[in-house]
Amino acid sequence: KKYKAYLAALQEHQRLSSPDDWSGSRPPARDIVEVFFSRSMFYSHYRKFFAGISHYPMMYTWLEQEGKGPLTNLEVWGVNLTSSSYKFSHLEAWIANGETLIVDINVNKEDKKGKDKGKGKGKGKGKDEEGPKKRAHKKNMIMRVPVIIWIIIMLSTLPSIAAKSPQAGFPDVKFSVFSEFVATHFSSKVSLATVLLVLFSMLDNPDLLTLHFRQKHPICDGENKIQISGWIKALVRGLQNKLGNRTRQLFKKSEFHHPNHADHVTPLAMKIDLLAELLKLTPYNDEGEFQGRLQLVSYDAIQSVQTICPASYICEDMNCEPRALLQDTRIRDIPLVTLIKGSKIHEKVSVLTGKCPKYNGHLSRVYLNSAPYLKVGQSTWVDREFSNAVLNGMYSFHASASAYTEFWNNSYGNITSKNPVQLTRRHVWQAFVQESIRTVAAESEIHLELRDNISINDVTSQAFDILGNSGKIGSAKDHTCSECTQDYRIASENAMDIDYALVNMVVLDGIVMGPTHCAYDDCTSDLNNSRGGSFCSYHENLYGVYCHVRGCQNRVTNQTKACEQHQKEWSKYTQHHSRQHLAGVRRMLQRPGTSMPWETGTKNIQPHDEDSTEYERKNYFGPGRFYCVETVCAPCGVVIAWAKFAKSESPTNILQFLKAVYPTEESRPNYICIDKACLVLRTSVANGSWDMWKKTSRFIVDSYHYINHRTTDGLCRKYCNPAPLDGSAPNLVVIAYDDSGQPYYKRAYNTQACEQLNAWLGGFESILKRMTPGNFSWFLHVMLFYHTKYVLQKQKQKGKAKADLESDDNGEM
């Protein structure tokens, strides 16, 4: 084709001989060669063989017919190969052997080796020395070729056949034929599972079968026909490993003499080979002609029919009898939806509704923990594998719903050739909310029941009110481990020998982030409008029509939040809070507690050992924002509880938070570690709450921040020291030994647990700061719930590994 296209282009070049036919100078004829070939390849192969091909009429006719004429490959060449397999070396041998390849398919090896050696040397040298010039010359020449020649080239190189589908159809064989093969070659007691395992193992390995059947059809000199190749034997060994003792089901009783698997590889391989021929899982036709490599088989023809129906088979209402459920949807009203199971997409799935014939109670939405499918859109359902992957993906990768949506669409949504399925952010967020509700509810052994037809924002808000337990993590209740609970150590050697309770510690810290709330003084209610609003519903009704500058009673002008007198302040605010402004870019890039190189001045980050200062707002143009999220966790990393602080991380807020988490003396920890412990201690003494805490607990500063506290603060140095070496707190400092046996002092607890937690939690800051308060609280609670769940799981695995190691050591002794 390329040579014919070259001749057509050359003929057109000769026809356009007038200077008026060219926009520039007429290119020489030799430049046309390099449009199609390299110059060396053209003169050494194409011109050498095709220039005189008309002297061989049979070969000329075969080339012209392009595989569609009466002449077969065997008639012309003497050896049957596919048309695309013949090379110039075959043509050269065909001419040398008297218009046949029967004598020798390949060119004499010594001559070929010599030619290749000399050709490679000269070609490599020319490529090194003249390659850049030739490429530049070729590029310039291509630019000069007129449009009409490009059209000829394109038309002459159009493909004559359509590309093959990447997947082949399911084997079209009659069941009676397949059944007869099974009855003839396998045991009469063979199970359906065993037969299907053999069948699908063959269908899923088309490349291996192609390699096997290629060895059964030798075409080159020196190749031998191998009936049972190493490829098919490898597949058989895999089947034996999978089947185990069930391998005997693939043999007749008279064929299975010895339980040794190695003795049955070849006989079983022969059966698999016959079955592949029967199912036409071979790249060769009945005449032995190669039809192309096998493709992966599509299972669309046997794809099962999916339905979505109630998981319960009886009425489970406590006020009703356990009656059978009736199918309640009329045929014309049965919705056909898209169901995603894992990463597999099923179209036109029927959703069937069940109804108890005697139940007349009210209808509500119950989030059953055992529900196998979840509705995430008007016509989109997912299974629990998909929703669990959403939740795990968000947790593990700090991913937002939008990020996970893009990942799934790029990975799975576009792979369906007929109708690509594209999820939206709302679908993924629905999957996250519904899966997380069921996961948290299952921990409390309840089913969440809400009013039907409420918005997704109301769902998250009510879910947190019912399941959030005011920020307490249920799985962390009464948690103890070697990292956060230790034996009591007495300060004096002469103390009485009595049993003491265990000593434990919790760590507190805050991370500066939080959702928006009403801008009015001392109001933390949800915004009436989360997109641009400043007030809650109550204060919007009172002050929404008035200027939002503090103390101004004038009415606002259209489309602004300020009166005519304060338009300058409003313009300044809108400019500084736009995404295009540098301040907006700063907010988008900034992480909690970090400063950008271009930022100047001080930020409103409160010191650890000083009282916090509250600033009065000058206007209400923008909403208020919670100052920080305060967390309580054990030294091992288990999260115990969390809360939002509205204005500051003040000692008063901290003491109130601790009182809510530990309401009784029995529940309070022995040590409470916080970066501003000395300030909390002072406040506790001043407001009288120390009388409650001093019976059970002691406030200490964490080791990282203790070095920044004032050395002149005697109260901090005496009562809040995290590691006193004078023996006054033997439960905070222990003696450990290094590898050489030398003793050294070591802190008994990890006082940086909350700092480590906040470093991980900061990865969600860019997601959380754009959420409504309801979504913020639920999302954060779920992430901390999962974090605690995985920490406990790792502790369990670590304990099991330690126990196994100790048991091995005891066994060796």
Side-chain angles (χ1 to χ4, degrees):
K1 287 184 178 181
K2 291 171 66 176
Y3 188 74
K4 291 171 64 178
Y6 159 73
L7 294 178
L10 184 63
Q11 182 179 4
E12 186 67 18
H13 176 269
Q14 294 174 352
R15 188 183 68 82
L16 302 174
S17 57
S18 173
D20 297 335
D21 296 331
W22 302 86
S23 58
S25 58
R26 184 170 182 263
R30 64 176 180 272
D31 288 349
I32 300 179
V33 173
E34 296 190 1
V35 175
F36 300 91
F37 329 95
S38 66
R39 185 166 297 186
S40 59
M41 187 68 180
F42 174 74
Y43 288 106
S44 63
H45 290 77
Y46 285 93
R47 184 175 180 181
K48 175 182 178 181
F49 295 111
F50 288 160
I53 199 67
S54 58
H55 298 296
Y56 304 96
M58 185 175 291
M59 180 60 69
Y60 181 84
T61 303
W62 182 85
L63 291 171
E64 286 287 343
Q65 72 184 18
E66 297 182 0
K68 298 180 180 179
L71 291 179
T72 65
N73 298 347
L74 187 62
E75 291 175 342
V76 178
W77 294 89
V79 174
N80 189 22
L81 303 178
T82 60
S83 300
S84 60
S85 300
Y86 295 107
K87 310 297 181 185
F88 278 108
S89 59
H90 296 117
L91 181 58
E92 186 175 12
W94 182 84
I95 296 173
N97 294 333
E99 302 185 21
T100 183
L101 282 180
I102 295 179
V103 178
D104 187 8
I105 296 178
N106 298 309
V107 183
N108 184 276
K109 294 183 179 180
E110 294 298 325
D111 294 343
K112 188 176 184 296
K113 183 178 180 181
K115 291 180 181 180
D116 289 346
K117 185 176 180 180
K119 186 190 306 180
K121 183 176 179 181
K123 188 173 182 179
K125 183 177 179 181
K127 187 174 182 179
D128 291 338
E129 296 178 357
E130 300 178 6
K133 289 185 177 180
K134 291 179 68 176
R135 285 192 295 270
H137 174 69
K138 182 176 180 179
K139 181 178 179 181
N140 294 333
M141 183 278 304
I142 292 175
M143 297 292 291
R144 296 195 303 264
V145 175
V147 176
I148 189 171
I149 295 184
W150 281 116
I151 295 175
I152 296 173
I153 295 171
M154 292 167 60
L155 292 175
S156 63
T157 56
L158 286 175
S160 56
I161 57 174
K164 271 194 172 183
S165 172
Q167 287 189 327
F170 199 80
D172 186 15
V173 59
K174 293 183 178 180
F175 178 76
S176 59
V177 176
F178 181 77
S179 177
E180 182 181 357
F181 179 92
V182 172
T184 304
H185 294 87
F186 296 158
S187 170
S188 59
K189 297 181 179 179
V190 63
S191 64
L192 177 62
T194 301
V195 175
L196 293 180
L197 174 62
V198 173
L199 173 62
F200 288 112
S201 297
M202 298 171 64
L203 297 179
D204 290 341
N205 290 278
D207 292 337
L208 183 142
L209 293 178
T210 301
L211 291 166
H212 163 66
F213 282 104
R214 173 60 182 81
Q215 285 196 262
K216 291 183 65 175
H217 295 79
I219 59 173
C220 297
D221 188 27
E223 286 187 325
N224 297 320
K225 182 177 182 180
I226 300 177
Q227 188 68 26
I228 303 300
S229 67
W231 304 108
I232 201 73
K233 289 181 179 179
L235 179 61
V236 167
R237 293 189 187 96
L239 286 171
Q240 290 178 331
N241 294 334
K242 181 73 174 181
L243 290 169
N245 294 331
R246 287 192 295 157
T247 304
R248 64 173 61 245
Q249 297 179 7
L250 300 178
F251 294 92
K252 295 291 186 181
K253 188 173 182 180
S254 59
E255 299 173 336
F256 199 85
H257 303 293
H258 197 275
N260 186 9
H261 284 178
D263 297 337
H264 301 103
V265 171
T266 300
L268 184 54
M270 295 177 65
K271 296 185 179 187
I272 300 301
D273 176 74
L274 291 174
L275 182 57
E277 295 274 7
L278 176 70
L279 298 174
K280 298 189 182 302
L281 297 177
T282 170
Y284 293 88
N285 59 17
D286 296 338
E287 287 76 27
E289 296 179 340
F290 185 76
Q291 303 298 304
R293 64 186 300 164
L294 294 176
Q295 300 292 334
L296 195 65
V297 174
S298 171
Y299 293 149
D300 290 344
I302 60 170
Q303 184 65 55
S304 60
V305 176
Q306 303 288 325
T307 59
I308 299 174
C309 58
S312 176
Y313 59 93
I314 58 174
C315 180
E316 295 186 349
D317 189 85
M318 297 181 64
N319 300 320
C320 186
E321 297 176 338
R323 296 178 178 273
L325 300 180
L326 305 181
Q327 203 286 107
D328 189 49
T329 310
R330 293 182 297 181
I331 295 178
R332 67 181 184 182
D333 296 333
I334 294 177
L336 300 178
V337 301
T338 299
L339 173 63
I340 302 176
K341 299 183 69 174
S343 58
K344 183 69 175 178
I345 301 171
H346 301 270
E347 303 280 358
K348 297 182 179 179
V349 176
S350 300
V351 180
L352 306 176
T353 305
K355 183 181 180 180
C356 175
K358 296 294 184 180
Y359 182 73
N360 295 316
H362 72 281
L363 296 178
S364 60
R365 184 176 295 273
V366 180
Y367 293 83
L368 293 176
N369 301 333
S370 59
Y373 303 112
L374 309 176
K375 183 179 180 180
V376 298
Q378 185 175 4
S379 59
T380 306
W381 290 66
V382 299
D383 69 342
R384 297 296 292 276
E385 180 182 348
F386 174 91
S387 59
N388 189 55
V390 169
L391 210 159
N392 284 321
M394 290 186 174
Y395 169 82
S396 299
F397 304 118
H398 293 83
S400 64
S402 298
Y404 192 90
T405 301
E406 184 177 359
F407 155 76
W408 195 91
N409 286 335
N410 292 338
S411 300
Y412 306 108
N414 295 320
I415 62 176
T416 54
S417 57
K418 295 182 179 178
N419 298 310
V421 174
Q422 293 289 296
L423 295 181
T424 66
R425 178 189 59 81
R426 296 179 183 274
H427 291 142
V428 173
W429 179 246
Q430 273 277 2
F432 169 84
V433 171
Q434 296 205 40
E435 177 65 26
S436 59
I437 284 176
R438 288 166 170 83
T439 302
V440 177
E443 185 76 20
S444 304
E445 298 181 351
I446 64 173
H447 297 288
L448 179 64
E449 184 173 354
L450 301 177
R451 183 169 51 86
D452 200 13
N453 296 324
I454 61 176
S455 67
I456 188 66
N457 290 336
D458 291 334
V459 170
T460 55
S461 298
Q462 296 183 28
F464 181 73
D465 292 340
I466 298 172
L467 302 174
N469 195 20
S470 300
K472 299 177 185 177
I473 307 300
S475 55
K477 185 179 180 180
D478 301 328
H479 166 73
T480 59
C481 69
S482 59
E483 295 182 51
C484 57
T485 306
Q486 301 187 16
D487 294 331
Y488 180 81
R489 299 179 183 86
I490 56 178
S492 173
E493 296 179 357
N494 299 322
M496 296 178 63
D497 186 15
I498 60 176
D499 293 333
Y500 291 93
L502 297 175
V503 180
N504 64 340
M505 175 188 284
V506 296
V507 186
L508 271 77
D509 197 13
I511 178 172
V512 181
M513 68 176 182
T516 56
H517 59 77
C518 179
Y520 200 77
D521 299 341
D522 300 324
C523 181
T524 57
S525 301
D526 293 354
L527 295 173
N528 181 52
N529 178 14
S530 298
R531 295 181 177 272
S534 301
F535 294 128
C536 62
S537 300
Y538 175 75
H539 289 108
E540 180 68 26
N541 291 332
L542 291 179
Y543 307 111
V545 296
Y546 298 106
C547 179
H548 286 33
V549 174
R550 180 183 290 272
C552 182
Q553 297 298 320
N554 298 325
R555 287 184 172 271
V556 298
T557 59
N558 293 333
Q559 306 300 323
T560 70
K561 295 181 181 180
C563 61
E564 292 289 347
Q565 181 182 352
H566 295 106
Q567 284 299 310
K568 184 177 180 181
E569 288 84 348
W570 170 249
S571 299
K572 182 178 180 181
Y573 173 84
T574 54
Q575 181 183 5
H576 282 215
H577 285 75
S578 66
R579 293 186 176 183
Q580 292 77 17
H581 193 267
L582 181 59
V585 175
R586 288 176 180 171
R587 288 192 299 275
M588 287 188 289
L589 297 178
Q590 186 172 302
R591 293 282 295 276
T594 62
S595 297
M596 297 302 170
W598 58 78
E599 289 187 300
T600 59
T602 58
K603 298 170 66 177
N604 185 22
I605 302 298
Q606 299 164 5
H608 302 297
D609 54 354
E610 295 180 5
D611 289 324
S612 57
T613 302
E614 297 183 4
Y615 298 91
E616 187 179 72
R617 296 186 57 148
K618 296 181 179 180
N619 59 65
Y620 301 123
F621 291 151
R625 186 175 290 275
F626 284 90
Y627 174 72
C628 71
V629 171
E630 195 79 7
T631 54
V632 182
C633 68
C636 61
V638 169
V639 183
I640 299 171
W642 68 276
K644 301 189 296 270
F645 287 178
K647 293 184 178 181
S648 64
E649 192 183 14
S650 66
T652 302
N653 287 337
I654 293 173
L655 289 170
Q656 291 176 351
F657 176 45
L658 287 172
K659 182 179 179 181
V661 177
Y662 303 105
T664 62
E665 288 188 10
E666 295 78 12
S667 63
R668 292 170 193 154
N670 301 104
Y671 291 99
I672 301 174
C673 181
I674 186 171
D675 52 12
K676 53 179 70 178
C678 51
L679 192 58
V680 174
L681 179 58
R682 284 191 179 91
T683 304
S684 179
V685 173
N687 63 22
S689 61
W690 177 241
D691 295 334
M692 177 184 67
W693 289 103
K694 68 180 181 181
K695 300 176 183 179
T696 57
S697 307
R698 176 177 168 184
F699 295 104
I700 64 171
V701 181
D702 67 278
S703 57
Y704 176 76
H705 293 98
Y706 182 73
I707 58 176
N708 295 325
H709 284 228
R710 295 186 181 93
T711 57
T712 58
D713 189 344
L715 182 143
C716 181
R717 294 290 159 175
K718 182 175 182 179
Y719 296 104
C720 301
N721 189 343
L725 300 180
D726 58 1
S728 59
N731 296 291
L732 295 178
V733 181
V734 297
I735 298 177
Y737 297 89
D738 58 18
D739 295 337
S740 61
Q742 296 298 319
Y744 67 94
Y745 288 110
K746 175 186 175 183
R747 294 185 180 89
Y749 302 98
N750 173 25
T751 62
Q752 300 301 305
C754 262
E755 291 286 349
Q756 296 161 357
L757 173 67
N758 289 342
W760 169 80
L761 199 58
F764 294 107
E765 194 267 346
S766 61
I767 304 172
L768 289 167
K769 71 181 182 181
R770 292 177 173 84
M771 289 186 174
T772 61
N775 289 344
F776 180 100
S777 297
W778 181 249
F779 183 87
L780 183 60
H781 187 77
V782 170
M783 291 298 103
L784 294 177
F785 174 88
Y786 257 69
H787 186 72
T788 300
K789 175 183 174 182
Y790 287 128
V791 170
L792 293 174
Q793 182 178 337
K794 289 180 180 178
Q795 287 184 351
K796 186 176 180 180
Q797 294 173 350
K798 188 185 297 184
K800 185 177 182 301
K802 184 178 180 180
D804 293 342
L805 183 61
E806 291 176 353
S807 63
D808 292 342
D809 293 341
N810 295 333
E812 292 177 359
M813 292 176 64

